[in-house]
Amino acid sequence: MHRILVVDDDPHIRDVLCFALEKAGMAAEWAGNGVDALDLATRNPPSLVVLDVGMPEMDGLEVCRRLRRASDVPILFLSARDEEIDRVLGLEMGGDDYVTKPFSPRELVARVNVILRRARGPAPAVAPPQEDAPPLTPAPIVRGALVLDSAGHRATVAGRELGLTAREFMMVKTLASRPAVVFSRNQLMDAAYPDNIHVSDRTIDSHVRNIRAKFQAAGCEDAVETVHGVGFRLGPCTTGTAP
């Protein structure tokens, strides 16, 4: 059973959401502020967090920022504001979807289900059993010092883990799958947001900056190359490269 953490300072909204989620067959727990939410998420990690942006003291964006330091748990933002900058900022910080108030509880539950299915990935095809058949796992992608392990969802440079988020991993995997190809922002957007969520070029640029920073922290300065006016391609991914 999926466990959903509902974080909102409005008790009425918490009650409505918890009731709707439980009616849909999920377990729901709630927190009325950011501090309690971080404590609950740390002690008992949920399947997904429904997170209000406009809470006092510690707002939802700060809660998301702290969660993303150690967790890739899916986050659905709630907000009373419907401005593009708020949606873009929430998605850039690692949110998976954004719903504005007032909202339909049925629509929110549907969005939660979509995010959970996407996080779980497509169901594998069931093949008839074969005697002595080795398990099929995709081979790691290697580019210079970079190793991408799709099965384990790990990216390392010279053995040092990068800590990429799910969207960052998909972007790097796309670049690494065809290292000689220059990918446009739209192509990277399709790779990182296969659910057709519309995001701006600024969001992709923000992801690229974060990816570069993580590679640089691992000693790799040439991971992502910019081809001006076209897009991005994977660099040689060497270590010890001079800035």
Side-chain angles (χ1 to χ4, degrees):
M1 180 182 292
H2 290 298
R3 279 192 320 101
I4 312 300
L5 175 59
V6 176
V7 187
D8 198 300
D9 60 323
D10 186 328
H12 173 69
I13 290 178
R14 294 198 305 261
D15 290 345
V16 169
L17 286 179
C18 288
F19 176 79
L21 292 165
E22 289 169 353
K23 187 177 179 181
M26 305 178 211
E29 59 182 346
W30 60 268
N33 58 69
V35 174
D36 289 348
L38 291 172
D39 180 60
L40 283 171
T42 301
R43 287 191 290 108
N44 195 12
S47 306
L48 179 144
V49 179
V50 178
L51 181 58
D52 181 34
V53 172
M55 294 184 295
E57 297 182 16
M58 184 188 298
D59 65 19
L61 296 178
E62 178 61 24
V63 175
C64 176
R65 184 181 293 112
R66 298 193 187 191
L67 280 174
R68 282 290 174 259
R69 292 174 185 171
S71 172
D72 206 23
V73 60
I75 296 174
L76 188 156
F77 280 115
L78 291 177
S79 177
R81 298 173 47 149
D82 187 20
E83 296 186 10
E84 181 183 9
I85 185 62
D86 295 328
R87 296 196 299 275
V88 169
L89 185 58
L91 293 171
E92 284 182 349
M93 292 182 61
D96 293 84
D97 203 349
Y98 192 103
V99 175
T100 55
K101 302 175 182 178
F103 56 85
S104 160
R106 290 182 60 185
E107 178 190 356
L108 187 136
V109 169
R111 287 178 181 248
V112 166
N113 279 319
V114 168
I115 296 172
L116 291 172
R117 284 197 300 270
R118 189 166 65 236
R120 187 168 61 242
V126 178
Q130 297 180 6
E131 293 185 3
D132 302 323
L136 297 177
T137 56
I141 299 174
V142 179
R143 169 73 167 171
L146 170 67
V147 177
L148 283 176
D149 176 10
S150 297
H153 211 273
R154 295 177 69 246
T156 58
V157 168
R160 184 173 178 179
E161 187 146 7
L162 296 177
L164 300 177
T165 67
R167 297 196 192 280
E168 292 167 356
F169 187 91
M170 290 306 300
M171 290 176 63
V172 174
K173 182 179 177 181
T174 299
L175 294 171
S177 65
R178 301 174 70 188
V181 174
V182 178
F183 288 87
S184 68
R185 285 176 172 81
N186 285 338
Q187 289 172 316
L188 291 180
M189 189 183 303
D190 290 341
Y193 295 89
D195 43 6
N196 294 322
I197 293 178
H198 175 72
V199 297
S200 68
D201 288 350
R202 288 181 51 222
T203 302
I204 297 302
D205 290 341
S206 176
H207 284 314
V208 171
R209 285 195 301 272
N210 291 339
I211 290 168
R212 281 176 169 153
K214 291 177 181 181
F215 272 90
Q216 289 166 0
C220 177
E221 299 283 346
D222 58 1
V224 180
E225 298 177 346
T226 300
V227 180
H228 293 289
V230 183
F232 304 95
R233 68 177 165 220
L234 194 71
C237 296
T238 57
T239 55
T241 303

